[in-house]
PDB file of all heavy atoms in Angstrom:
ATOM      1  N   SER A 248      97.695  75.322  66.556  1.00  0.00           N
ATOM      2  CA  SER A 248      97.938  75.290  68.004  1.00  0.00           C
ATOM      3  C   SER A 248      96.839  74.547  68.746  1.00  0.00           C
ATOM      4  O   SER A 248      97.104  73.801  69.694  1.00  0.00           O
ATOM      5  CB  SER A 248      98.053  76.722  68.551  1.00  0.00           C
ATOM      6  OG  SER A 248      99.102  77.413  67.937  1.00  0.00           O
ATOM      7  N   VAL A 249      95.590  74.766  68.324  1.00  0.00           N
ATOM      8  CA  VAL A 249      94.471  74.064  68.963  1.00  0.00           C
ATOM      9  C   VAL A 249      94.618  72.558  68.790  1.00  0.00           C
ATOM     10  O   VAL A 249      94.464  71.784  69.750  1.00  0.00           O
ATOM     11  CB  VAL A 249      93.125  74.546  68.374  1.00  0.00           C
ATOM     12  CG1 VAL A 249      91.970  73.678  68.900  1.00  0.00           C
ATOM     13  CG2 VAL A 249      92.877  76.002  68.719  1.00  0.00           C
ATOM     14  N   PHE A 250      94.944  72.142  67.558  1.00  0.00           N
ATOM     15  CA  PHE A 250      95.064  70.711  67.287  1.00  0.00           C
ATOM     16  C   PHE A 250      96.381  70.131  67.803  1.00  0.00           C
ATOM     17  O   PHE A 250      96.581  68.919  67.751  1.00  0.00           O
ATOM     18  CB  PHE A 250      94.917  70.466  65.778  1.00  0.00           C
ATOM     19  CG  PHE A 250      93.520  70.673  65.292  1.00  0.00           C
ATOM     20  CD1 PHE A 250      93.156  71.857  64.674  1.00  0.00           C
ATOM     21  CD2 PHE A 250      92.546  69.710  65.488  1.00  0.00           C
ATOM     22  CE1 PHE A 250      91.857  72.067  64.237  1.00  0.00           C
ATOM     23  CE2 PHE A 250      91.249  69.906  65.064  1.00  0.00           C
ATOM     24  CZ  PHE A 250      90.895  71.089  64.431  1.00  0.00           C
ATOM     25  N   TYR A 251      97.227  70.980  68.325  1.00  0.00           N
ATOM     26  CA  TYR A 251      98.432  70.521  69.031  1.00  0.00           C
ATOM     27  C   TYR A 251      98.128  70.326  70.519  1.00  0.00           C
ATOM     28  O   TYR A 251      98.491  69.308  71.109  1.00  0.00           O
ATOM     29  CB  TYR A 251      99.551  71.549  68.845  1.00  0.00           C
ATOM     30  CG  TYR A 251     100.815  71.243  69.621  1.00  0.00           C
ATOM     31  CD1 TYR A 251     101.815  70.429  69.086  1.00  0.00           C
ATOM     32  CD2 TYR A 251     101.006  71.762  70.902  1.00  0.00           C
ATOM     33  CE1 TYR A 251     102.964  70.152  69.800  1.00  0.00           C
ATOM     34  CE2 TYR A 251     102.158  71.492  71.624  1.00  0.00           C
ATOM     35  CZ  TYR A 251     103.145  70.684  71.073  1.00  0.00           C
ATOM     36  OH  TYR A 251     104.285  70.398  71.774  1.00  0.00           O
ATOM     37  N   VAL A 252      97.448  71.315  71.104  1.00  0.00           N
ATOM     38  CA  VAL A 252      97.206  71.287  72.550  1.00  0.00           C
ATOM     39  C   VAL A 252      96.260  70.160  72.941  1.00  0.00           C
ATOM     40  O   VAL A 252      96.470  69.488  73.962  1.00  0.00           O
ATOM     41  CB  VAL A 252      96.634  72.649  73.019  1.00  0.00           C
ATOM     42  CG1 VAL A 252      96.149  72.565  74.464  1.00  0.00           C
ATOM     43  CG2 VAL A 252      97.681  73.728  72.893  1.00  0.00           C
ATOM     44  N   ILE A 253      95.223  69.904  72.147  1.00  0.00           N
ATOM     45  CA  ILE A 253      94.223  68.895  72.523  1.00  0.00           C
ATOM     46  C   ILE A 253      94.833  67.499  72.663  1.00  0.00           C
ATOM     47  O   ILE A 253      94.690  66.867  73.728  1.00  0.00           O
ATOM     48  CB  ILE A 253      93.039  68.904  71.530  1.00  0.00           C
ATOM     49  CG1 ILE A 253      92.240  70.195  71.670  1.00  0.00           C
ATOM     50  CG2 ILE A 253      92.126  67.699  71.763  1.00  0.00           C
ATOM     51  CD1 ILE A 253      91.134  70.359  70.656  1.00  0.00           C
ATOM     52  N   PRO A 254      95.533  66.964  71.650  1.00  0.00           N
ATOM     53  CA  PRO A 254      96.097  65.619  71.833  1.00  0.00           C
ATOM     54  C   PRO A 254      97.197  65.565  72.885  1.00  0.00           C
ATOM     55  O   PRO A 254      97.325  64.569  73.600  1.00  0.00           O
ATOM     56  CB  PRO A 254      96.638  65.260  70.444  1.00  0.00           C
ATOM     57  CG  PRO A 254      96.772  66.541  69.720  1.00  0.00           C
ATOM     58  CD  PRO A 254      95.723  67.446  70.274  1.00  0.00           C
ATOM     59  N   VAL A 255      97.993  66.644  72.993  1.00  0.00           N
ATOM     60  CA  VAL A 255      99.043  66.658  74.016  1.00  0.00           C
ATOM     61  C   VAL A 255      98.423  66.589  75.410  1.00  0.00           C
ATOM     62  O   VAL A 255      98.873  65.813  76.274  1.00  0.00           O
ATOM     63  CB  VAL A 255      99.928  67.920  73.870  1.00  0.00           C
ATOM     64  CG1 VAL A 255     100.797  68.114  75.110  1.00  0.00           C
ATOM     65  CG2 VAL A 255     100.810  67.807  72.634  1.00  0.00           C
ATOM     66  N   SER A 256      97.382  67.387  75.648  1.00  0.00           N
ATOM     67  CA  SER A 256      96.744  67.410  76.973  1.00  0.00           C
ATOM     68  C   SER A 256      95.982  66.125  77.267  1.00  0.00           C
ATOM     69  O   SER A 256      96.007  65.615  78.398  1.00  0.00           O
ATOM     70  CB  SER A 256      95.780  68.605  77.068  1.00  0.00           C
ATOM     71  OG  SER A 256      96.451  69.814  76.895  1.00  0.00           O
ATOM     72  N   MET A 257      95.308  65.567  76.251  1.00  0.00           N
ATOM     73  CA  MET A 257      94.442  64.411  76.477  1.00  0.00           C
ATOM     74  C   MET A 257      95.196  63.093  76.476  1.00  0.00           C
ATOM     75  O   MET A 257      94.931  62.216  77.312  1.00  0.00           O
ATOM     76  CB  MET A 257      93.334  64.376  75.415  1.00  0.00           C
ATOM     77  CG  MET A 257      92.341  65.509  75.500  1.00  0.00           C
ATOM     78  SD  MET A 257      90.945  65.324  74.369  1.00  0.00           S
ATOM     79  CE  MET A 257      90.056  63.966  75.137  1.00  0.00           C
ATOM     80  N   PHE A 258      96.151  62.920  75.554  1.00  0.00           N
ATOM     81  CA  PHE A 258      96.753  61.599  75.354  1.00  0.00           C
ATOM     82  C   PHE A 258      98.196  61.485  75.846  1.00  0.00           C
ATOM     83  O   PHE A 258      98.650  60.398  76.183  1.00  0.00           O
ATOM     84  CB  PHE A 258      96.689  61.224  73.865  1.00  0.00           C
ATOM     85  CG  PHE A 258      95.300  61.278  73.304  1.00  0.00           C
ATOM     86  CD1 PHE A 258      94.982  62.153  72.282  1.00  0.00           C
ATOM     87  CD2 PHE A 258      94.295  60.472  73.814  1.00  0.00           C
ATOM     88  CE1 PHE A 258      93.700  62.215  71.767  1.00  0.00           C
ATOM     89  CE2 PHE A 258      93.013  60.520  73.306  1.00  0.00           C
ATOM     90  CZ  PHE A 258      92.705  61.390  72.279  1.00  0.00           C
ATOM     91  N   VAL A 259      98.913  62.613  75.892  1.00  0.00           N
ATOM     92  CA  VAL A 259     100.293  62.563  76.381  1.00  0.00           C
ATOM     93  C   VAL A 259     100.331  62.854  77.877  1.00  0.00           C
ATOM     94  O   VAL A 259     100.792  62.038  78.677  1.00  0.00           O
ATOM     95  CB  VAL A 259     101.193  63.551  75.606  1.00  0.00           C
ATOM     96  CG1 VAL A 259     102.626  63.485  76.142  1.00  0.00           C
ATOM     97  CG2 VAL A 259     101.166  63.252  74.116  1.00  0.00           C
ATOM     98  N   TYR A 260      99.828  64.022  78.267  1.00  0.00           N
ATOM     99  CA  TYR A 260      99.812  64.376  79.687  1.00  0.00           C
ATOM    100  C   TYR A 260      98.619  63.773  80.426  1.00  0.00           C
ATOM    101  O   TYR A 260      98.633  63.669  81.647  1.00  0.00           O
ATOM    102  CB  TYR A 260      99.792  65.901  79.850  1.00  0.00           C
ATOM    103  CG  TYR A 260     101.074  66.581  79.424  1.00  0.00           C
ATOM    104  CD1 TYR A 260     101.060  67.843  78.845  1.00  0.00           C
ATOM    105  CD2 TYR A 260     102.314  65.973  79.613  1.00  0.00           C
ATOM    106  CE1 TYR A 260     102.226  68.493  78.467  1.00  0.00           C
ATOM    107  CE2 TYR A 260     103.478  66.594  79.236  1.00  0.00           C
ATOM    108  CZ  TYR A 260     103.440  67.849  78.664  1.00  0.00           C
ATOM    109  OH  TYR A 260     104.585  68.487  78.294  1.00  0.00           O
ATOM    110  N   LYS A 261      97.563  63.411  79.674  1.00  0.00           N
ATOM    111  CA  LYS A 261      96.348  62.813  80.237  1.00  0.00           C
ATOM    112  C   LYS A 261      95.754  63.668  81.349  1.00  0.00           C
ATOM    113  O   LYS A 261      95.309  63.174  82.382  1.00  0.00           O
ATOM    114  CB  LYS A 261      96.657  61.396  80.754  1.00  0.00           C
ATOM    115  CG  LYS A 261      97.099  60.447  79.650  1.00  0.00           C
ATOM    116  CD  LYS A 261      97.374  59.051  80.174  1.00  0.00           C
ATOM    117  CE  LYS A 261      97.812  58.120  79.039  1.00  0.00           C
ATOM    118  NZ  LYS A 261      98.112  56.764  79.510  1.00  0.00           N
ATOM    119  N   SER A 262      95.775  64.971  81.135  1.00  0.00           N
ATOM    120  CA  SER A 262      95.261  65.908  82.132  1.00  0.00           C
ATOM    121  C   SER A 262      94.008  66.638  81.656  1.00  0.00           C
ATOM    122  O   SER A 262      93.506  67.519  82.343  1.00  0.00           O
ATOM    123  CB  SER A 262      96.346  66.947  82.468  1.00  0.00           C
ATOM    124  OG  SER A 262      96.838  67.570  81.285  1.00  0.00           O
ATOM    125  N   LEU A 263      93.506  66.269  80.476  1.00  0.00           N
ATOM    126  CA  LEU A 263      92.316  66.910  79.921  1.00  0.00           C
ATOM    127  C   LEU A 263      91.293  65.842  79.581  1.00  0.00           C
ATOM    128  O   LEU A 263      91.520  65.002  78.716  1.00  0.00           O
ATOM    129  CB  LEU A 263      92.682  67.722  78.664  1.00  0.00           C
ATOM    130  CG  LEU A 263      91.543  68.517  78.022  1.00  0.00           C
ATOM    131  CD1 LEU A 263      91.159  69.709  78.901  1.00  0.00           C
ATOM    132  CD2 LEU A 263      91.949  69.002  76.630  1.00  0.00           C
ATOM    133  N   SER A 264      90.171  65.862  80.278  1.00  0.00           N
ATOM    134  CA  SER A 264      89.111  64.894  80.010  1.00  0.00           C
ATOM    135  C   SER A 264      88.191  65.424  78.918  1.00  0.00           C
ATOM    136  O   SER A 264      88.242  66.602  78.543  1.00  0.00           O
ATOM    137  CB  SER A 264      88.300  64.641  81.280  1.00  0.00           C
ATOM    138  OG  SER A 264      87.613  65.817  81.666  1.00  0.00           O
ATOM    139  N   LEU A 265      87.313  64.549  78.412  1.00  0.00           N
ATOM    140  CA  LEU A 265      86.350  64.981  77.404  1.00  0.00           C
ATOM    141  C   LEU A 265      85.421  66.052  77.967  1.00  0.00           C
ATOM    142  O   LEU A 265      85.036  66.991  77.261  1.00  0.00           O
ATOM    143  CB  LEU A 265      85.534  63.777  76.917  1.00  0.00           C
ATOM    144  CG  LEU A 265      86.246  62.838  75.932  1.00  0.00           C
ATOM    145  CD1 LEU A 265      85.377  61.615  75.660  1.00  0.00           C
ATOM    146  CD2 LEU A 265      86.562  63.571  74.622  1.00  0.00           C
ATOM    147  N   ARG A 266      85.078  65.907  79.251  1.00  0.00           N
ATOM    148  CA  ARG A 266      84.224  66.915  79.878  1.00  0.00           C
ATOM    149  C   ARG A 266      84.949  68.264  79.945  1.00  0.00           C
ATOM    150  O   ARG A 266      84.359  69.307  79.654  1.00  0.00           O
ATOM    151  CB  ARG A 266      83.822  66.457  81.279  1.00  0.00           C
ATOM    152  CG  ARG A 266      82.971  67.477  82.027  1.00  0.00           C
ATOM    153  CD  ARG A 266      82.495  66.939  83.360  1.00  0.00           C
ATOM    154  NE  ARG A 266      81.541  65.837  83.174  1.00  0.00           N
ATOM    155  CZ  ARG A 266      80.929  65.214  84.171  1.00  0.00           C
ATOM    156  NH1 ARG A 266      81.180  65.577  85.425  1.00  0.00           N
ATOM    157  NH2 ARG A 266      80.084  64.238  83.927  1.00  0.00           N
ATOM    158  N   ASP A 267      86.229  68.231  80.326  1.00  0.00           N
ATOM    159  CA  ASP A 267      87.019  69.470  80.370  1.00  0.00           C
ATOM    160  C   ASP A 267      87.135  70.088  78.976  1.00  0.00           C
ATOM    161  O   ASP A 267      87.062  71.311  78.824  1.00  0.00           O
ATOM    162  CB  ASP A 267      88.420  69.198  80.920  1.00  0.00           C
ATOM    163  CG  ASP A 267      88.412  68.837  82.398  1.00  0.00           C
ATOM    164  OD1 ASP A 267      87.469  69.257  83.093  1.00  0.00           O
ATOM    165  OD2 ASP A 267      89.339  68.129  82.833  1.00  0.00           O
ATOM    166  N   LEU A 268      87.330  69.234  77.970  1.00  0.00           N
ATOM    167  CA  LEU A 268      87.424  69.729  76.597  1.00  0.00           C
ATOM    168  C   LEU A 268      86.127  70.418  76.189  1.00  0.00           C
ATOM    169  O   LEU A 268      86.156  71.508  75.602  1.00  0.00           O
ATOM    170  CB  LEU A 268      87.723  68.562  75.646  1.00  0.00           C
ATOM    171  CG  LEU A 268      87.762  68.908  74.144  1.00  0.00           C
ATOM    172  CD1 LEU A 268      88.837  69.952  73.858  1.00  0.00           C
ATOM    173  CD2 LEU A 268      87.991  67.645  73.318  1.00  0.00           C
ATOM    174  N   GLY A 269      85.000  69.785  76.515  1.00  0.00           N
ATOM    175  CA  GLY A 269      83.710  70.390  76.181  1.00  0.00           C
ATOM    176  C   GLY A 269      83.514  71.726  76.875  1.00  0.00           C
ATOM    177  O   GLY A 269      83.060  72.700  76.256  1.00  0.00           O
ATOM    178  N   ARG A 270      83.876  71.788  78.165  1.00  0.00           N
ATOM    179  CA  ARG A 270      83.740  73.041  78.905  1.00  0.00           C
ATOM    180  C   ARG A 270      84.648  74.123  78.328  1.00  0.00           C
ATOM    181  O   ARG A 270      84.259  75.294  78.232  1.00  0.00           O
ATOM    182  CB  ARG A 270      84.084  72.806  80.378  1.00  0.00           C
ATOM    183  CG  ARG A 270      83.025  72.004  81.142  1.00  0.00           C
ATOM    184  CD  ARG A 270      83.508  71.684  82.544  1.00  0.00           C
ATOM    185  NE  ARG A 270      82.500  70.944  83.308  1.00  0.00           N
ATOM    186  CZ  ARG A 270      82.739  70.375  84.482  1.00  0.00           C
ATOM    187  NH1 ARG A 270      83.959  70.459  85.026  1.00  0.00           N
ATOM    188  NH2 ARG A 270      81.782  69.732  85.115  1.00  0.00           N
ATOM    189  N   SER A 271      85.855  73.742  77.929  1.00  0.00           N
ATOM    190  CA  SER A 271      86.798  74.708  77.357  1.00  0.00           C
ATOM    191  C   SER A 271      86.271  75.262  76.041  1.00  0.00           C
ATOM    192  O   SER A 271      86.380  76.461  75.768  1.00  0.00           O
ATOM    193  CB  SER A 271      88.170  74.048  77.129  1.00  0.00           C
ATOM    194  OG  SER A 271      88.741  73.645  78.351  1.00  0.00           O
ATOM    195  N   ILE A 272      85.696  74.378  75.223  1.00  0.00           N
ATOM    196  CA  ILE A 272      85.150  74.825  73.930  1.00  0.00           C
ATOM    197  C   ILE A 272      83.983  75.772  74.149  1.00  0.00           C
ATOM    198  O   ILE A 272      83.875  76.816  73.492  1.00  0.00           O
ATOM    199  CB  ILE A 272      84.723  73.612  73.081  1.00  0.00           C
ATOM    200  CG1 ILE A 272      85.970  72.816  72.646  1.00  0.00           C
ATOM    201  CG2 ILE A 272      83.930  74.064  71.859  1.00  0.00           C
ATOM    202  CD1 ILE A 272      85.649  71.517  71.941  1.00  0.00           C
ATOM    203  N   VAL A 273      83.093  75.424  75.096  1.00  0.00           N
ATOM    204  CA  VAL A 273      81.954  76.298  75.396  1.00  0.00           C
ATOM    205  C   VAL A 273      82.439  77.651  75.929  1.00  0.00           C
ATOM    206  O   VAL A 273      81.956  78.715  75.520  1.00  0.00           O
ATOM    207  CB  VAL A 273      81.007  75.630  76.410  1.00  0.00           C
ATOM    208  CG1 VAL A 273      79.957  76.627  76.903  1.00  0.00           C
ATOM    209  CG2 VAL A 273      80.332  74.419  75.781  1.00  0.00           C
ATOM    210  N   SER A 274      83.416  77.612  76.847  1.00  0.00           N
ATOM    211  CA  SER A 274      83.963  78.854  77.413  1.00  0.00           C
ATOM    212  C   SER A 274      84.611  79.712  76.331  1.00  0.00           C
ATOM    213  O   SER A 274      84.384  80.928  76.265  1.00  0.00           O
ATOM    214  CB  SER A 274      84.988  78.523  78.505  1.00  0.00           C
ATOM    215  OG  SER A 274      85.615  79.690  78.982  1.00  0.00           O
ATOM    216  N   GLY A 275      85.409  79.063  75.476  1.00  0.00           N
ATOM    217  CA  GLY A 275      86.056  79.795  74.397  1.00  0.00           C
ATOM    218  C   GLY A 275      85.054  80.376  73.420  1.00  0.00           C
ATOM    219  O   GLY A 275      85.201  81.510  72.948  1.00  0.00           O
ATOM    220  N   ALA A 276      84.003  79.599  73.111  1.00  0.00           N
ATOM    221  CA  ALA A 276      82.968  80.065  72.183  1.00  0.00           C
ATOM    222  C   ALA A 276      82.197  81.242  72.769  1.00  0.00           C
ATOM    223  O   ALA A 276      81.865  82.206  72.064  1.00  0.00           O
ATOM    224  CB  ALA A 276      82.018  78.923  71.844  1.00  0.00           C
ATOM    225  N   THR A 277      81.914  81.179  74.069  1.00  0.00           N
ATOM    226  CA  THR A 277      81.201  82.272  74.726  1.00  0.00           C
ATOM    227  C   THR A 277      82.014  83.558  74.685  1.00  0.00           C
ATOM    228  O   THR A 277      81.506  84.634  74.334  1.00  0.00           O
ATOM    229  CB  THR A 277      80.882  81.908  76.190  1.00  0.00           C
ATOM    230  OG1 THR A 277      80.136  80.693  76.223  1.00  0.00           O
ATOM    231  CG2 THR A 277      80.102  83.016  76.874  1.00  0.00           C
ATOM    232  N   THR A 278      83.286  83.437  75.053  1.00  0.00           N
ATOM    233  CA  THR A 278      84.176  84.606  75.019  1.00  0.00           C
ATOM    234  C   THR A 278      84.283  85.169  73.616  1.00  0.00           C
ATOM    235  O   THR A 278      84.242  86.386  73.404  1.00  0.00           O
ATOM    236  CB  THR A 278      85.575  84.222  75.539  1.00  0.00           C
ATOM    237  OG1 THR A 278      85.470  83.673  76.849  1.00  0.00           O
ATOM    238  CG2 THR A 278      86.485  85.435  75.578  1.00  0.00           C
ATOM    239  N   THR A 279      84.425  84.271  72.639  1.00  0.00           N
ATOM    240  CA  THR A 279      84.545  84.701  71.246  1.00  0.00           C
ATOM    241  C   THR A 279      83.287  85.396  70.766  1.00  0.00           C
ATOM    242  O   THR A 279      83.342  86.421  70.076  1.00  0.00           O
ATOM    243  CB  THR A 279      84.846  83.489  70.341  1.00  0.00           C
ATOM    244  OG1 THR A 279      86.068  82.888  70.761  1.00  0.00           O
ATOM    245  CG2 THR A 279      84.965  83.913  68.887  1.00  0.00           C
ATOM    246  N   GLY A 280      82.109  84.851  71.132  1.00  0.00           N
ATOM    247  CA  GLY A 280      80.852  85.462  70.717  1.00  0.00           C
ATOM    248  C   GLY A 280      80.707  86.881  71.232  1.00  0.00           C
ATOM    249  O   GLY A 280      80.322  87.790  70.484  1.00  0.00           O
ATOM    250  N   VAL A 281      81.064  87.078  72.500  1.00  0.00           N
ATOM    251  CA  VAL A 281      81.005  88.422  73.085  1.00  0.00           C
ATOM    252  C   VAL A 281      81.980  89.342  72.366  1.00  0.00           C
ATOM    253  O   VAL A 281      81.651  90.494  72.026  1.00  0.00           O
ATOM    254  CB  VAL A 281      81.327  88.362  74.589  1.00  0.00           C
ATOM    255  CG1 VAL A 281      81.460  89.770  75.166  1.00  0.00           C
ATOM    256  CG2 VAL A 281      80.251  87.580  75.329  1.00  0.00           C
ATOM    257  N   LEU A 282      83.183  88.839  72.115  1.00  0.00           N
ATOM    258  CA  LEU A 282      84.214  89.652  71.475  1.00  0.00           C
ATOM    259  C   LEU A 282      83.816  90.037  70.048  1.00  0.00           C
ATOM    260  O   LEU A 282      83.989  91.181  69.629  1.00  0.00           O
ATOM    261  CB  LEU A 282      85.539  88.886  71.477  1.00  0.00           C
ATOM    262  CG  LEU A 282      86.804  89.661  71.144  1.00  0.00           C
ATOM    263  CD1 LEU A 282      88.000  89.038  71.841  1.00  0.00           C
ATOM    264  CD2 LEU A 282      87.061  89.682  69.640  1.00  0.00           C
ATOM    265  N   ILE A 283      83.275  89.081  69.286  1.00  0.00           N
ATOM    266  CA  ILE A 283      82.890  89.361  67.905  1.00  0.00           C
ATOM    267  C   ILE A 283      81.741  90.359  67.850  1.00  0.00           C
ATOM    268  O   ILE A 283      81.721  91.274  67.008  1.00  0.00           O
ATOM    269  CB  ILE A 283      82.485  88.063  67.174  1.00  0.00           C
ATOM    270  CG1 ILE A 283      83.697  87.119  67.050  1.00  0.00           C
ATOM    271  CG2 ILE A 283      81.929  88.359  65.788  1.00  0.00           C
ATOM    272  CD1 ILE A 283      84.861  87.687  66.282  1.00  0.00           C
ATOM    273  N   LEU A 284      80.780  90.226  68.782  1.00  0.00           N
ATOM    274  CA  LEU A 284      79.671  91.180  68.836  1.00  0.00           C
ATOM    275  C   LEU A 284      80.200  92.578  69.151  1.00  0.00           C
ATOM    276  O   LEU A 284      79.779  93.572  68.545  1.00  0.00           O
ATOM    277  CB  LEU A 284      78.647  90.745  69.882  1.00  0.00           C
ATOM    278  CG  LEU A 284      77.362  91.584  69.983  1.00  0.00           C
ATOM    279  CD1 LEU A 284      76.610  91.564  68.660  1.00  0.00           C
ATOM    280  CD2 LEU A 284      76.481  91.067  71.113  1.00  0.00           C
TER     281      LEU A 284
END
Side-chain angles (χ1 to χ4, degrees):
S248 300
V249 172
F250 289 99
Y251 175 87
V252 170
I253 292 175
V255 166
S256 299
M257 293 187 71
F258 305 118
V259 180
Y260 291 146
K261 297 181 180 179
S262 53
L263 183 71
S264 65
L265 283 174
R266 178 175 293 183
D267 291 334
L268 176 60
R270 288 174 179 170
S271 297
I272 292 173
V273 170
S274 175
T277 304
T278 304
T279 300
V281 172
L282 193 151
I283 295 300
L284 185 60

